[in-house]
Structure formats: C-alpha cells, structure tokens
Amino acid sequence: MHDDSALVLPRIARFFRERLLPAVYRDRVPAQLTAWTAPGEPVPFAEAVRQEYTPITPGTAWGRPWGTVWFHVTGSVPAAWTDPATRPELVVDLGFSSAVPGFQAEGLAYTPGGVVVAAVEPMNMHVPLPDGAGSAVDLYVEGASNPDVGSGWTYSPSPLGDLLTAGSDPIYRLGGVDVALVDLPVWELTQDVWTLSGLVGELPADLPRRAEVLRALERAVDAVDPDDVSGTAELGRAELAGVLASPAYPSAHRVHAVGHAHIDSAWLWPVRETVRKIARTFANVLSLMDTDDEFVFAASSAQQYAWLKEHHPELFERVKARVAEGRFVPVGGMWVESDTNMPGGEALARQFVAGKRFFREELGVDPQEVWLPDSFGYSAALPQIIAAAGARWFLTQKISWNETNVMPHHTFRWEGIDGTRIFTHFPPVDTYNSQLSAQELARAQRQYAEKGRANTSLVPFGWGDGGGGPTREMLAAAARTRSLEGSPAVRMTSPAEFFATAEAEYPLPPVWSGELYLEFHRGTYTSQARTKRGNRRNEHLLREAELWAATAAVRTGAAYPADVLERCWHTVLLQQFHDILPGTSIAWVHQEAERNHARVSAELEEVIARSLAALVGQGDEEITANAGPYVRDGVPALGGATPSRPGGRATIEESGEGLVLANDAVRVVIDERGLFTSVRDLAADREVVAPGTTASLLQLHRDTPAKWDAWDIDETYRRHGRDLVDVDELTVLERGPERVSVRIVRKPGASTITQVVSLTAGSPAIDVVIDVDWHERQKLLKLAFPLDVHADRATSEIQFGHLHRPIHTNTSWDAARFETVAHRWVHVGEPDYGVAVANDSTYGHDVNRSTRSDGGTTTTVRLSLLRAPLFPDPTADQGEHRLAVSLRVGATIADAVAEGYRRNLPLRTVRGRAGIDPLVTVDHPAVVVEAVKLAEDGSGDVVVRLYEAHGGRATASIRADFAHSGVVETDLLETPLDQPVALSADGTRLALRPFRIVTLRFARGAGG
C-alpha cells in the first residue's frame, strides 16, 4: 500500500480547523449590552451594579491599560433551542488576542444578586446558563483591561508596567457577546480528533498503532459531511470509538494529572490584579467540578485564599465546601510561593508558620507537600525547614530551565545541610501549565529518568502564571487518555495521592545533596535593590520587635502586639513572593513593595520604641540595647546595659603610601584613588590584599543578557567591564579616637557613588558604606576584594547555616555556578586563616581564584551591588541606594557569623532607669538564638528558636530567666514533638548536630 500519510495529516488538520471548530456552536443570538467604566481602581460588585450603564456594541474600543469596564449582558435563550444534544451558554469575547490566558483582558461574570458564576478568558470564553429554552439571560461581567506587558517576549522596555506611564487610550475592541447553542456531539468529536491527532504526531512512523489511528481519523473525516457537520458528527465519532477504546500498554508510563493554576501573586500585573485573578480562576474550577466528578484541583499560597475570603466571601465558602470534599486541595503550606534563596531563616520558617496556620484554622487541612514549581532555585536549608513544618514531600518544576546541565533525577530524596532528606519530585513533563496534550504526555514518558525502577510522574495541568486554570477541553483530554494505547495512562488525582503512590513505588530513590541551584536567572540576586534592602531591614526589625515586645510582656506585663506583628509578617512574607523579592516584576509592583516595606519599618520601629521604653523605665541613664545573639561592646546578647567603650583607639594619618587608618587589630592604606592598597592583619602579622591589586574596588560591567533582562546575568558580562578608579573627592571625615573615617566620591557616567570607609577602635573589620545615586542603564556594579588567600571554596551564609561551594570550574556544574547567593556574609580561607566579607542588603556574589606570576594565589570576592535592567521595569534601580559592606580580617566561620549579625543588627541607644535582662541565655557561641517571641496561640508561652551556626556539633546550657512551668521541644508550628531530639530531660541542656534548628516552648499559662 502506498504511504500517503503525509497527505492525510494536513487534510485532518484542515478539516478540524475549518469544519469542526466552527460547527461547535450550532446557533448564536447577539445579547444586549450596556457598560459602565470605573473611573479609577476596581470597585466591588455592590458598587458597580448601582452605576448608570450606557449602550455599547461589538467593535467598540474599551478599556484603558489597567482599567475596568463593567458590562451588563441581557437577553434570552430562544424557545426553539430544545434539542437534548445541545446546551445554551453565553459566549463573551472581550477582544482577546492569540496570546495565552493571564496576560491580557479577563472578565468575571456575576448574577444580578452578586453571585460569581465563572470567568471569561481567551481559552474559556463561555459562561454557563443554568436554565433552558426560553429562559432570561441577565449577567454582569467585570472586564479587566490588563495590558500584555510581555508583548511577545521580545524583552523590549514597555511603559505599560507603571500606571503613570501606561496611557489612557483604550487597548481592546469588544468582540461578540452571544447567547450560543453548543452542539455537544460536535464538541465531543473535536476532543476525540484533537487527542488522536496529537497521538499520531508522537507515535513512531513504523508502529502499527500509528497507522491504525491515522486511518481511523481519515475515516472520520470521510464520515462527517462538511455541509452537515452537526447531523453527521456521531458518524465520525463512531469511526474513532474503536481506537479510543484500545487500552494503554501494561507498561505505559503512569501519569497523575493534577488540576492546577500557578497564579503569580504579582508579576506583570500588580497585587491588586492577582486578587481578581484568583476569583476568576477559582470560579472556573468550581464550575468544572459541577460537571466532572473526577476533577481534582490543587492551589497553593494561603495569602491567595485569604484574599478570596476578604474580597469574595461567598466564593470562599464554596471553595471551602469543595476542600472538605477533598477535591479542591490547598497545597504548599506556605503564605506565598516565595523565593527560597533570599528570605532569611526565620522568614522562610514563617512562610510555613503563617501558611499552615491559615490552612488549619480556615480550611481544616494540613498540607503535606511543599509546592514551589516556579521559584528560581532552592536553598539547601529548605529540607530541614520543610520537615520542621510537618511536611513530607517537595515538588518543583523550575530546575528544568537549567541552561547548562540536566538534572539527573525526577524522583529523589533531597538532602539539606543538616542531613534531613525530603522525598522530592521534579515532573518530567517540564511544565506546570500542561494542557494534557499528546506531546506533553509523551515528553513526560520519554524524559522520566527513573525508568526500570519506577514509572509514575505528576503532571500539573491548567493555564498558569496569570491564572485561568484547567478548561473543559483539558478534562476531556484526561478522560480520553485514561487508558489509551500508545499514550501514558492518565489519572486525575491529588498531589498527596501521587506522592503516597510514588513513595511506595520507589522507597529508596537516589539522593541529591545540597542546594538545587538554578543555572539561570542569576540576576535575581541583585535586581531591584530597594525591594531587597526593605526585605532585609524588615526581617531584622521583626526579630527586634518580637524580642523586645516579648521581653516587655514577660518583664512588665505590657500588652504583646500580636496583631501588629502578624500584619507586618504577612506583608513581608508577601513581598518575598518569587517575582517580587527577586526583582522581576513591573514597576508598579516594586513601587508598592517599597511603600509596603517603609510602612512596615515604621510600624515596627514604634513597637520597638514602646517595648524598650517599658523595659528601661523613665530615667536619664544611657542604655544600649543589643538584639543580636552575641555580646557587643560589653552589652549582653538579647538584652541591654550601659555599654563599656571599646578598648584601644583608632587613628588616621597621611603618609607616602596614602591615608593610613589603624587600630590595634588592623592597618588599612587608602591611596589617592580611594582604593585599599594594603589591609594588614596586625594580630596575624599578615597582608590581606593580594600583591599587585587593590581592594574595595568598584567595577562597572555591561549587562545585556540574551533575554529575561531582570532575571539573568549572562557570563558574558565578564568580557565588558572597567575599574572605577577616578576619584572626585577624597576627604577625612572622622579622626578618632573611637572611630576614623574617609569619604570617597566617584562620578562614573550619570551616577554618583560615595563610599565612606571607617574603622572603629578594637574592631578587626573595616566598614564601607556606599551611597549611590544610580542612573546607568543595563550596567552591573560590583565591589571587589582581591585577597591573598589560597581558598578552594567559598562559604556563604544561607538560612540557619552556611554552604560550601567550589570556586574552581572543574566540571560544567561548577562553571555554571558563576554567580551565587549569600545572605549576610561570605568567607574564604586557608586551614589556619580566613577573611569574611559581610553586607547589610546584598545577595549576589561571585568568588574566583587566580594564580599570580609569583606563584601565589589570589581569591577575589565580589559583591553585585546594583543592576539596571530594562524589562519588565525600564526604570529598575534608578535613583538613590545605600548599601553597607565590611571586610573582617583573620576571621573564622564563627567570626563571620558574628560579623553578619553585627552588620545587620545595630545597637540601639535609649534613655531610661535600668538595663534589660535577657529572657534567655545560651552558653555556646555556635548555638545562635534566632527568634524570641510569644506563642502564636496567644497563650503567653515564650517561644525560642535557635540553631547550630558553625557547622559542627554543639552542646549548650540554656537558661530562661523568667518563671515557667516547663519547656518542650516543638516543631515550627509550636506543637510539641512526640520524640524530642535536642533537649535534655531536665530542659537545661541542648545537644545539636550541625545546623540543627530547634524550637523551644516555655509554658507560662494563659496571658501569664
């Protein structure tokens, strides 16, 4: 037989496109339309329905960027529409483009009584009409004219991301709004043909099954009369029934399909639009559940459910009912799908504390799976935090974006820095926006790395990023591939059912140890520096506010401001969403984030001031408060007292070398260019700056990634850079004896950079405060410290510990790690000597090693201070910034830890009557108290969270200086553990393994 398949396939495709799809609606009747334009921000339904509506017709331009137009749709279902093989529905075309849902106009339909019916989106334009022939149609549609900021992903600068520059002209043209009659047999036939055509495209050409399906499709095309598609659709379906009924191979890959809609809490739209996206998506999900009993949908982020409860309480109650049935499944257990690289340890823990608390109290569930498909890499501290939050499983998709190396596993146990292992799945389908197409299912089967040992993977399906979720077409695809020869076998299940099945099938999977580093989006450690600074500052202010408020409550009976602290935590946790903290959102989002951080800072400063005032009482004595975990300048940790002055003195003098800053610990030479030509560790009698180099050197690089501007730093930036050595001002500011300082001003391009270098008596750390008035575009500003240290790895602080990373490029994995994240410090060293570089708001670093002509080794630590990407925010990072860095000589890891806290938790001076006695003391420097607070349940119990910070074993005594009836070890949610692992029986001793996190709860009684 001649092979004419190359001719048959385009015939089937054209028949599908030109005959079947147009015949899905047997008839249409235009609805009557009136409209009202909201003058500013969105308004609730109750307000919108009271407005005066005016007639509008299809073809009319509507909707300024980020505007809202309400449409009132009326009409009736024709009395003649009585055929049981049909169903009436409203079809609304707001002027949709070919772009995917979530990135353009969207709508939400309401009944006249204000009940949400369904969303209107490009792939989901229909709204159910519950009544039949002759019934009235009366609906309101809230139309959101959101612009497509991505606009084809050319990464071109766009004014649309800022309300002030987006313009006011309409950007959409209203399409048809019709009462339409769905031809159910035709619709079913389109789903049959779509599924089987996709299958033909994936099957090998020599497989009999492919020919069988192809010929069945050909017969179906022959059976359907193009002049009477409706009357002959069943004949076409009959030709396909046999091939659809042929079961999957017994060895076929098993897919657990989970309905999903990854809704970014902000990105190319503001947070307020996310609130509406959630309502639209969840309304569609509920509508699908009414028609498909097998459909299960998973959604993460307690914040999003909280928004739904606040803005759409009726819809929230409907969701809650489906949650109780187990079909609408809250997952993740976090407040938002946060970034995991940059949030501090306590903040990452609070993502789970806040998220799980909401899910437990509001929805009666405790998610066991952590769901982070789209964050930009995953901290090696996360496994322990997941386990401490009472979760068992972890899912991500983003590592499939690696641009260099392919992850070797899809199901594995992920081991964190403390040794905790979490069962992890990385879906081989390589998308969290699956349509359950044959191509996607075949990809999942083909790429699944565990073949021969296991055979089950998860596929999240539904339109995501901008929301939308699953469609009825996707459910039809799932039904047809439940057991279909040549296709993986698809079951719609919940994430928990998948994980339980996968873990039972593969109880001993391979282990991946350490961070899940994303070889992509490395610029997210640096973009939008003000958003990052606000996050870092508020993380530490929250620590202080809780510490001093808890101490005041215990010591003086002051009211504990739980509501204020919770509100502030929720705001900070929201700003840690994986497109806000990484700096990859539109201007509107980051302007709002900066305002939110400023407001939170002000609220927390008030809490701190009130608490300290209650603690020190009225008086004129100068009291210094130390919220850090280490004694500083004679001030005890976690308390306060009259400080002793630091020993010794600091001096500054001019010499032939330049300006010489010195104290008993270190001597620094600053030349006429404002650069460090020498940093001598006086205690070790050792030069720290590498020969032939200068330190505290600012470097400006071209920063033009191939794509994803705000996200990416491409390695090619290293080819284009210059040292900023020209100086406009070099001035001595302070001459001691307690402190000396020098100001250096540079004006590269359109920017002004001011560095103030200071040295304090007795301190081995040189402080550099950098003020930048930044007006560069597509530039990367780095600060370099070339050190005379022979290091083979860099140690970077992460949450509750640190991580060692090689600084060589022996393998492709090492080479791809050319920009890395660190929290408050990095450390490089030899076996008996090290140097720490600490910061107060910087996350991006690179560390490299070179060999000099004298045979020595130079290890260069560089901090990425600022960027200036043009997409999605063309004004990113423009304006004023303040950053602070310190170089500590002769530093051990323990010194680096202490330096990080010093840099981020400055001492506070207040006037009062008496010092502050710490509530808790620990006698081992490696055991660091990270949080002191009152319990979440309002009992008045004191909760203390601490961890082993040096990477070794530590045994410590812990003392609580307040009355309590006992202490227990708890999980992060403050629930006592069945089997404590760190606390001695008498509650006075702790035995910690490396990086172990321990939460202790001291019982004080209700309000005590």
Side-chain angles (χ1 to χ4, degrees):
M1 187 178 78
H2 296 295
D3 180 10
D4 62 351
S5 58
L7 302 176
V8 174
L9 285 170
R11 180 182 177 221
I12 294 167
R14 184 173 183 184
F15 191 82
F16 178 82
R17 183 177 63 251
E18 295 184 2
R19 301 295 183 179
L20 291 187
L21 290 180
V24 165
Y25 288 107
R26 188 181 295 183
D27 199 0
R28 291 173 179 259
V29 176
Q32 287 78 53
L33 295 172
T34 56
W36 170 73
T37 300
E41 284 293 278
V43 300
F45 172 85
E47 181 177 341
V49 77
R50 296 196 303 266
Q51 306 305 316
E52 182 178 347
Y53 286 66
T54 58
I56 188 172
T57 58
T60 301
W62 73 277
R64 62 175 174 81
W66 308 113
T68 302
V69 175
W70 285 81
F71 301 95
H72 188 194
V73 183
T74 57
S76 61
V77 178
W81 288 4
T82 58
D83 188 338
T86 62
R87 181 181 62 233
E89 59 190 25
L90 184 70
V91 178
V92 180
D93 181 0
L94 294 175
F96 299 123
S97 73
S98 59
V100 298
F103 297 88
Q104 53 177 299
E106 302 172 59
L108 185 61
Y110 295 77
T111 69
V115 176
V116 171
V117 179
V120 177
E121 293 162 324
M123 303 298 179
N124 200 45
M125 294 192 290
H126 64 279
V127 179
L129 296 175
D131 297 320
S135 61
V137 174
D138 191 352
L139 293 168
Y140 288 84
V141 176
E142 178 191 29
S145 50
N146 301 329
D148 182 8
V149 178
S151 59
W153 304 108
T154 61
Y155 311 103
S156 300
S158 170
L160 293 172
D162 187 337
L163 194 60
L164 297 178
T165 59
S168 58
D169 294 337
I171 56 175
Y172 291 101
R173 194 165 294 278
L174 186 64
V177 181
D178 302 322
V179 180
L181 188 63
V182 183
D183 191 309
L184 298 177
V186 174
W187 185 85
E188 296 287 353
L189 178 58
T190 64
Q191 308 314 306
D192 295 343
V193 173
W194 186 82
T195 297
L196 292 171
S197 297
L199 184 62
V200 168
E202 296 302 317
L203 293 175
D206 62 348
L207 197 67
R209 173 63 169 169
R210 181 181 186 274
E212 179 185 49
V213 175
L214 179 67
R215 296 308 169 186
L217 285 165
E218 184 180 32
R219 293 194 302 272
V221 171
D222 289 340
V224 177
D225 182 350
D227 295 323
D228 185 16
V229 174
S230 177
T232 56
E234 291 289 10
L235 297 176
R237 295 205 71 202
E239 294 294 343
L240 301 177
V243 291
L244 283 168
S246 184
Y249 307 133
S251 60
H253 185 59
R254 295 183 289 272
V255 167
H256 285 233
V258 176
H260 185 49
H262 173 69
I263 306 176
D264 286 313
S265 291
W267 181 26
L268 303 183
W269 49 86
V271 166
R272 67 92 151 141
E273 196 55 36
T274 307
V275 174
R276 300 202 290 181
K277 286 176 178 288
I278 295 157
R280 297 178 198 125
T281 300
F282 286 11
N284 279 350
V285 167
L286 294 173
S287 180
L288 288 173
M289 286 181 177
D290 290 339
T291 60
D292 191 322
D293 293 338
E294 294 185 7
F295 174 44
V296 178
F297 178 79
S300 70
S301 304
Q303 172 70 88
Q304 297 188 0
Y305 291 83
W307 281 330
L308 191 71
K309 181 182 179 184
E310 177 184 357
H311 295 278
H312 292 278
E314 184 271 338
L315 192 58
F316 178 77
E317 290 302 318
R318 287 155 58 191
V319 167
K320 191 172 181 178
R322 290 298 190 181
V323 169
E325 293 176 359
R327 297 185 59 201
F328 200 117
V329 184
V331 292
M334 300 175 73
W335 189 249
V336 295
E337 288 186 15
S338 78
D339 179 80
T340 77
N341 285 314
M342 290 172 285
E346 188 61 23
L348 199 51
R350 296 300 178 91
Q351 287 285 352
F352 290 95
V353 172
K356 284 215 166 192
R357 182 180 176 191
F358 181 92
F359 285 140
R360 286 179 174 182
E361 294 179 359
E362 297 291 342
L363 297 170
V365 296
D366 186 6
Q368 295 296 293
E369 60 286 297
V370 175
W371 189 274
L372 288 174
D374 192 33
S375 297
F376 308 144
Y378 303 93
S379 166
L382 196 53
Q384 183 182 187
I385 295 172
I386 289 170
R392 297 172 54 190
W393 305 306
F394 178 69
L395 178 137
T396 178
Q397 181 65 64
K398 199 68 173 185
I399 300 300
S400 68
W401 284 45
N402 273 6
E403 61 184 358
T404 303
N405 297 285
V406 176
M407 187 74 180
H409 315 301
H410 287 106
T411 298
F412 56 98
R413 290 199 184 275
W414 180 23
E415 181 181 84
I417 53 173
D418 77 315
T420 298
R421 293 180 176 181
I422 293 293
F423 189 86
T424 298
H425 185 64
F426 165 42
V429 71
D430 276 2
T431 180
Y432 49 79
N433 293 327
S434 172
Q435 300 176 61
L436 295 180
S437 68
Q439 181 185 37
E440 291 165 337
L441 296 175
R443 182 169 66 235
Q445 177 173 277
R446 181 175 61 253
Q447 295 190 166
Y448 183 63
E450 275 55 64
K451 293 184 185 75
R453 289 183 168 85
N455 197 26
T456 305
S457 72
L458 185 145
V459 173
F461 71 94
W463 296 108
D465 291 323
T471 64
R472 59 187 178 186
E473 289 77 15
M474 295 174 192
L475 300 189
R480 285 159 176 76
T481 54
R482 183 181 291 111
S483 181
L484 179 64
E485 184 184 351
S487 169
V490 175
R491 289 180 55 209
M492 287 195 288
T493 62
S494 69
E497 185 175 350
F498 160 75
F499 274 109
T501 300
E503 196 167 22
E505 177 186 54
Y506 201 16
L508 296 174
V511 174
W512 179 273
S513 183
E515 67 183 328
L516 292 170
Y517 176 87
L518 180 63
E519 297 173 352
F520 207 44
H521 291 359
R522 302 169 185 89
T524 59
Y525 315 145
T526 305
S527 296
Q528 299 285 4
R530 280 184 293 268
T531 296
K532 290 174 169 59
R533 181 173 181 81
N535 174 76
R536 179 78 72 84
R537 183 69 185 123
N538 280 330
E539 285 181 344
H540 289 82
L541 285 175
L542 278 160
R543 171 199 174 94
E544 284 198 79
E546 288 185 335
L547 169 67
W548 300 130
T551 306
V554 173
R555 295 280 185 242
T556 73
Y560 186 73
D563 291 345
V564 174
L565 292 170
E566 180 180 70
R567 182 173 65 249
C568 290
W569 266 118
H570 285 177
T571 301
V572 171
L573 296 179
L574 170 59
Q575 311 314 310
Q576 292 177 343
F577 176 72
H578 67 250
D579 276 308
I580 302 179
L581 182 54
T584 53
S585 291
I586 57 174
W588 187 340
V589 172
H590 290 288
Q591 292 163 5
E592 189 173 65
E594 291 168 27
R595 289 193 296 269
N596 287 339
H597 277 304
R599 188 188 72 250
V600 167
S601 294
E603 286 191 90
L604 293 174
E605 290 287 3
E606 289 182 11
V607 170
I608 292 166
R610 287 197 304 269
S611 300
L612 287 174
L615 285 165
V616 301
Q618 293 184 349
D620 293 326
E621 185 177 358
E622 186 177 88
I623 306 295
T624 300
N626 176 13
Y630 297 106
V631 175
R632 280 186 56 195
D633 297 344
V635 183
L638 312 176
T642 302
S644 60
R645 294 185 181 276
R649 55 185 285 126
T651 62
I652 186 168
E653 59 183 32
E654 296 183 16
S655 74
E657 299 174 281
L659 291 172
V660 180
L661 289 64
N663 60 19
D664 293 341
V666 64
R667 179 179 183 271
V668 185
V669 178
I670 301 176
D671 70 5
E672 71 280 1
R673 300 168 299 172
L675 304 175
F676 298 178
T677 56
S678 172
V679 174
R680 191 156 196 89
D681 181 342
L682 299 178
D685 192 22
R686 173 169 177 156
E687 176 60 48
V688 172
V689 176
T693 69
T694 54
S696 191
L697 173 65
L698 291 164
Q699 298 174 315
L700 195 63
H701 294 269
R702 190 174 89 183
D703 186 16
T704 53
K707 52 185 178 179
W708 297 108
D709 286 28
W711 292 257
D712 286 355
I713 290 177
D714 289 357
E715 192 177 18
T716 54
Y717 84 87
R718 292 175 169 175
R719 303 176 193 168
H720 311 279
R722 63 187 176 98
D723 297 340
L724 303 185
V725 296
D726 294 336
V727 63
D728 289 84
E729 178 189 337
L730 181 60
T731 307
V732 176
L733 294 181
E734 297 173 282
R735 295 185 176 273
E738 293 183 7
R739 172 182 157 109
V740 293
S741 62
V742 176
R743 181 171 63 219
I744 304 115
V745 179
R746 308 181 194 279
K747 296 181 179 180
S751 301
T752 301
I753 305 173
T754 302
Q755 294 168 279
V756 173
V757 180
S758 61
L759 185 64
T760 302
S763 173
I766 305 116
D767 292 325
V768 184
V769 175
I770 308 166
D771 287 296
V772 186
D773 187 11
W774 183 245
H775 297 286
E776 308 306 309
R777 302 284 183 177
Q778 293 187 299
K779 295 292 190 292
L780 170 62
L781 181 66
K782 280 185 170 277
L783 179 66
F785 293 94
L787 306 172
D788 192 11
V789 173
H790 180 71
D792 61 358
R793 66 187 189 184
T795 304
S796 301
E797 187 189 37
I798 62 173
Q799 300 90 348
F800 298 116
H802 53 262
L803 188 70
H804 303 299
R805 298 185 181 102
I807 58 175
H808 55 65
T809 55
N810 286 353
T811 71
S812 59
W813 297 84
D814 300 326
R817 208 181 294 111
F818 60 81
E819 183 84 2
T820 58
V821 68
H823 283 200
R824 292 170 290 209
W825 55 268
V826 296
H827 179 274
V828 292
E830 302 165 359
D832 60 352
Y833 191 84
V835 178
V837 180
N839 72 85
D840 76 337
S841 58
T842 297
Y843 295 93
H845 295 74
D846 74 288
V847 184
N848 61 75
R849 186 177 70 185
S850 60
T851 300
R852 305 187 298 266
S853 59
D854 64 3
T857 300
T858 297
T859 299
T860 302
V861 177
R862 297 200 302 173
L863 299 90
S864 298
L865 301 182
L866 291 171
R867 300 185 67 214
L870 300 181
F871 179 84
D873 175 9
T875 64
D877 283 319
Q878 299 300 296
E880 296 182 353
H881 301 268
R882 168 165 285 192
L883 311 101
V885 176
S886 63
L887 178 71
R888 179 161 176 164
V889 302
T892 63
I893 293 293
D895 294 328
V897 173
E899 183 64 19
Y901 279 103
R902 181 189 76 86
R903 183 72 275 172
N904 286 270
L905 280 168
L907 300 174
R908 291 178 179 272
T909 301
V910 295
R911 292 199 173 275
R913 184 178 63 254
I916 305 164
D917 294 325
L919 290 182
V920 176
T921 56
V922 180
D923 68 353
H924 196 300
V927 180
V928 174
V929 174
E930 184 68 4
V932 178
K933 59 187 284 291
L934 295 194
E936 295 285 315
D937 61 8
S939 63
D941 291 353
V942 173
V943 172
V944 177
R945 188 141 37 245
L946 40 78
Y947 70 104
E948 195 289 317
H950 296 172
R953 296 184 182 273
T955 301
S957 295
I958 182 165
R959 177 176 176 269
D961 186 25
F962 56 89
H964 62 91
S965 58
V967 56
V968 295
E969 191 174 341
T970 75
D971 61 13
L972 290 183
L973 279 69
E974 302 169 10
T975 303
L977 300 179
D978 294 332
Q979 295 181 325
V981 295
L983 187 65
S984 63
D986 64 0
T988 64
R989 301 285 291 170
L990 289 167
L992 276 67
R993 66 173 185 258
F995 305 125
R996 173 74 185 185
I997 305 167
V998 172
T999 304
L1000 303 176
R1001 180 170 181 149
F1002 296 85
R1004 296 177 58 244

